[in-house]
Amino acid sequence: DVKVTQSSRYLVKRTGEKVFLECVQDMDHENMFWYRQDPGLGLRLIYFSYDVKMKEKGDIPEGYSVSREKKERFSLILESASTNQTSMYLCASSSPGGHEQYFGPGTRLTVT
Amino acid sequence: RKEVEQDPGPFNVPEGATVAFNCTYSNSASQSFFWYRQDCRKEPKLLMSVYSSGNEDGRFTAQLNRASQYISLLIRDSKLSDSATYLCVVNENNFNKFYFGSGTKLNVKP
C-alpha cells in the first residue's frame, strides 16, 4: 500500500518561529510537492522537487523554503512564521509523466 | 484569472439522483486532466483520469471538451457515500505542475 506521511497532523506555532514540516514517501517517486489549502482558494503549489537537491518554485513560494536531501524526504521550512501562513499543508508525490499524485494526510498549522 | 475554475456548490441532491459538475481551464495547452475526491478533513485522492474520448468507471463518467476547455463529471444513482468535495485538476505541458480547482461540494441526502 502506497504511503505518504507527514510529521504532524496539527501544529501551533508563534509568530516569528522557524517551522519545519516533514514529508516522507515510500514509493520511490522522483517528484514531490508542497501545497497549502485554504477555503475558497483550493490547493496552491508552494514548491516542488523533481530530484534530490533539485527544487522549483511554485505559485506562492514567498516566505517558504524547501530541502530535499534524500529521495524519500521533502521538507518545507517557514523561516519566520506569520499569521497569514495559518493553513492546511499537504505534501504529495508522483512519478514523472503527469500521473496520479499521492497525498499525505496534511498538517494543519496555526500561527498565533 | 484562475487556471482552473469550479462552481463551489454545495450541490444538495437526494439519494439516487444524477448530478453533474463542470470545470473550466484557462490554458489551451493543458495535457492531462483528473478528478480527485476529498472527504472532510482528509487528503485528496484520485477518483479518475479524464481522457479525450471520455471514460466511465461504474456510476462515474468523465468527459473532456478541448474546444470549450472544460471537463465534466457525471455521477449516476448517487449514494450517501458520494458526499465529498470534488476537485478538478489540470496538468500542463510541464508534467511536474498540477493546477487544482477549489472544489465542488456534494451533499447526498437520504
Side-chain angles (χ1 to χ4, degrees):
Chain A
D1 195 19
V2 297
K3 209 161 187 179
V4 180
T5 56
Q6 295 183 227
S7 48
S8 306
R9 291 300 303 272
Y10 299 94
L11 210 51
V12 179
K13 294 291 182 181
R14 292 187 182 275
T15 301
E17 278 193 85
K18 191 168 186 175
V19 182
F20 293 86
L21 303 182
E22 303 284 340
C23 174
V24 178
Q25 51 100 357
D26 66 0
M27 294 163 282
D28 203 35
H29 283 161
E30 284 82 359
N31 297 339
M32 295 188 75
F33 307 80
W34 274 107
Y35 296 91
R36 63 178 283 177
Q37 185 174 29
D38 300 287
L41 297 176
L43 274 78
R44 293 179 292 166
L45 182 65
I46 303 171
Y47 268 97
F48 67 94
S49 168
Y50 51 89
D51 203 349
V52 175
K53 297 193 187 295
M54 307 303 286
K55 61 186 179 185
E56 284 199 29
K57 292 179 180 180
D59 299 311
I60 51 164
E62 297 78 19
Y64 303 95
S65 62
V66 290
S67 171
R68 190 148 179 221
E69 297 296 319
K70 293 185 177 181
K71 190 175 186 180
E72 67 270 19
R73 187 179 297 269
F74 191 35
S75 303
L76 180 70
I77 303 147
L78 286 66
E79 297 290 341
S80 176
S82 64
T83 54
N84 63 12
Q85 292 179 310
T86 291
S87 187
M88 169 67 84
Y89 289 87
L90 288 158
C91 174
S93 72
S94 74
S95 54
H99 298 301
E100 177 180 1
Q101 289 197 316
Y102 295 87
F103 284 86
T107 296
R108 186 166 293 280
L109 172 67
T110 302
V111 183
T112 62
Chain B
R1 185 183 173 190
K2 287 185 180 179
E3 297 283 343
V4 180
E5 302 222 38
Q6 296 182 248
D7 180 344
F11 285 61
N12 298 306
V13 303
E15 268 186 295
T18 295
V19 61
F21 311 133
N22 282 340
C23 155
T24 58
Y25 60 94
S26 60
N27 188 341
S28 59
S30 297
Q31 294 290 321
S32 305
F33 308 89
F34 309 88
W35 284 102
Y36 277 68
R37 171 194 168 125
Q38 186 172 24
D39 294 302
C40 189
R41 300 185 185 282
K42 298 279 192 179
E43 70 272 23
K45 292 185 179 178
L46 180 69
L47 178 67
M48 57 197 302
S49 301
V50 186
Y51 304 120
S52 296
S53 55
N55 48 301
E56 192 173 304
D57 182 3
R59 298 181 293 107
F60 298 83
T61 301
Q63 294 203 309
L64 168 64
N65 184 319
R66 284 192 184 272
S68 300
Q69 294 180 212
Y70 76 83
I71 68 173
S72 63
L73 178 68
L74 181 80
I75 306 175
R76 289 181 299 278
D77 188 23
S78 300
K79 311 289 184 194
L80 295 176
S81 57
D82 294 334
S83 296
T85 296
Y86 291 83
L87 305 174
C88 173
V89 184
V90 172
N91 184 285
E92 299 183 348
N93 282 337
N94 176 352
F95 284 156
N96 292 323
K97 267 191 117 174
F98 295 78
Y99 291 95
F100 285 74
S102 54
T104 298
K105 189 169 174 58
L106 172 65
N107 295 316
V108 181
K109 310 280 190 185

